[in-house]
Amino acid sequence: MSASTRTLVRPAVLKTRKGRLIYWSALAVALLLFTVAFVVPLYWAATGAMKSSTELAQSPPTYVPESWHPENYAKAWREMDLTGYFLNTVVLAGGAWLVQLAVQVPAAYALSKLRPRFGNLVLGLMLLTLMMPATALLVPVYLTVVDVPLFHRNLINSPSAVWLPAAANAFNIYILKNFFDRIPDELLDAAKIDGAGTPTTLWRVVLPLSRPILAVVSILSIVTAWKDFLWPLLVLPDPARQPLSVFLQRVAPDTPLNSLVAGLVMASLPLIALFLVFQRHIVAGLSAGSLKG
């Protein structure tokens, strides 16, 4: 048997009744464990928000609410005035997404296809930032947004303080570059023969072929910006400009527990919906290894 066809369990064993029983039992147990690990917290939060504050705080906890209060969601939205903070989060996440695509796609394309001098050195320095703890970068990045080099502007309490640092994402640039590396140079040469310049080639040839990886980068960017807590807390001290993640933590001590849980659930729903809608794009983008035709 060649190395390319080796598996954990030999095919001959899988053909036996005992082998199939063991295989399907192990698969069922693994799927059950993963389902429990992911679904139970979602169920606990969704049903916990529909309990009374007394029932939610009691010990031992109830697994099914004794009395259902779905109106807690509307009550939490109204009493905590989540509309403004939800819009703040949309602006921050949407702006971070657009800025990241505007910076990272040309950077990855340049490193992949234009091959500038010292390009490998630049890429290596970018990847070094992935080895550093995120907290180690907080102080230098904060000092940068307080006094932007050359422009000498203070971005505190501005969405730009969240958007611009998000563009410096070495991981996204790396996976984009790897995808661009797999695009045949013959396609780009054909575009040049037709008179297309570098921006036109990127826009009309490369980007249409890169939809799967662009979807992956977009989802990662939006999810990261949506759930980020520490950085918005530092650069957006004005409560009226804060996103949901910061606002909910700030009001937690003075908010009934069931209302707080309802707010957390509603803050998570857009991300869950985003994943369910674009999960095929995630798999396609991460598994894309070649181009056909």
Side-chain angles (χ1 to χ4, degrees):
M1 183 181 298
S2 63
S4 60
T5 58
R6 289 178 181 171
T7 59
L8 185 62
V9 182
R10 290 182 301 162
V13 176
L14 289 177
K15 292 180 181 179
T16 65
R17 183 176 181 180
K18 181 179 179 181
R20 290 195 299 269
L21 178 62
I22 295 175
Y23 172 79
W24 288 110
S25 299
L27 179 62
V29 171
L31 291 177
L32 178 62
L33 291 177
F34 277 105
T35 301
V36 169
F38 285 100
V39 173
V40 168
L42 296 177
Y43 168 81
W44 193 265
T47 57
M50 290 185 281
K51 299 177 181 179
S52 64
S53 297
T54 303
E55 182 182 357
L56 185 57
Q58 76 180 29
S59 181
T62 55
Y63 298 100
V64 178
E66 297 175 354
S67 59
W68 295 83
H69 300 279
E71 69 277 4
N72 286 347
Y73 285 101
K75 180 181 178 182
W77 185 279
R78 182 178 61 256
E79 292 184 351
M80 291 192 289
D81 192 20
L82 295 182
T83 302
Y85 297 99
F86 186 89
L87 293 177
N88 289 346
T89 310
V90 170
V91 170
L92 293 176
W97 167 60
L98 292 175
V99 171
Q100 288 189 64
L101 289 184
V103 173
Q104 294 165 8
V105 170
Y109 178 74
L111 292 172
S112 174
K113 296 302 182 183
L114 302 184
R115 299 181 179 90
R117 183 178 297 181
F118 306 118
N120 290 334
L121 176 62
V122 172
L123 179 62
L125 293 175
M126 289 182 182
L127 295 179
L128 280 178
T129 62
L130 297 178
M131 312 301 170
M132 301 178 62
T135 52
L137 300 174
L138 285 177
V139 172
V141 178
Y142 182 82
L143 295 177
T144 300
V145 299
V146 168
D147 185 12
V148 179
L150 301 180
F151 298 95
H152 301 292
R153 291 194 58 186
N154 188 339
L155 300 181
I156 297 299
N157 273 328
S158 169
S160 301
V162 175
W163 296 344
L164 297 180
N169 191 314
F171 177 75
N172 286 350
I173 293 177
Y174 178 70
I175 62 175
L176 283 168
K177 178 187 178 299
N178 279 352
F179 187 92
F180 293 158
D181 286 343
R182 299 187 179 101
I183 297 178
D185 292 336
E186 290 78 5
L187 291 177
L188 309 185
D189 294 337
K192 292 179 182 178
I193 293 174
D194 291 338
T198 300
T200 303
T201 302
L202 174 61
W203 181 258
R204 295 191 175 183
V205 178
V206 176
L207 292 186
L209 296 172
S210 306
R211 291 176 183 172
I213 197 64
L214 291 178
V216 171
V217 171
S218 297
I219 292 172
L220 293 177
S221 302
I222 293 174
V223 169
T224 301
W226 189 279
K227 66 184 183 67
D228 193 13
F229 166 75
L230 183 57
W231 184 247
L233 176 66
L234 293 176
V235 299
L236 300 173
D238 184 0
R241 299 176 179 269
Q242 293 174 346
L244 284 169
S245 58
V246 178
F247 169 74
L248 291 174
Q249 185 276 338
R250 179 166 56 83
V251 302
D254 303 318
T255 303
L257 186 56
N258 56 353
S259 296
L260 181 63
V261 174
L264 293 171
V265 171
M266 289 186 287
S268 304
L269 287 179
L271 297 185
I272 296 174
L274 185 70
F275 172 78
L276 294 177
V277 172
F278 293 103
Q279 58 178 324
R280 291 185 179 181
H281 295 278
I282 298 176
V283 176
L286 294 177
S287 61
S290 61
L291 296 173
K292 296 181 180 181

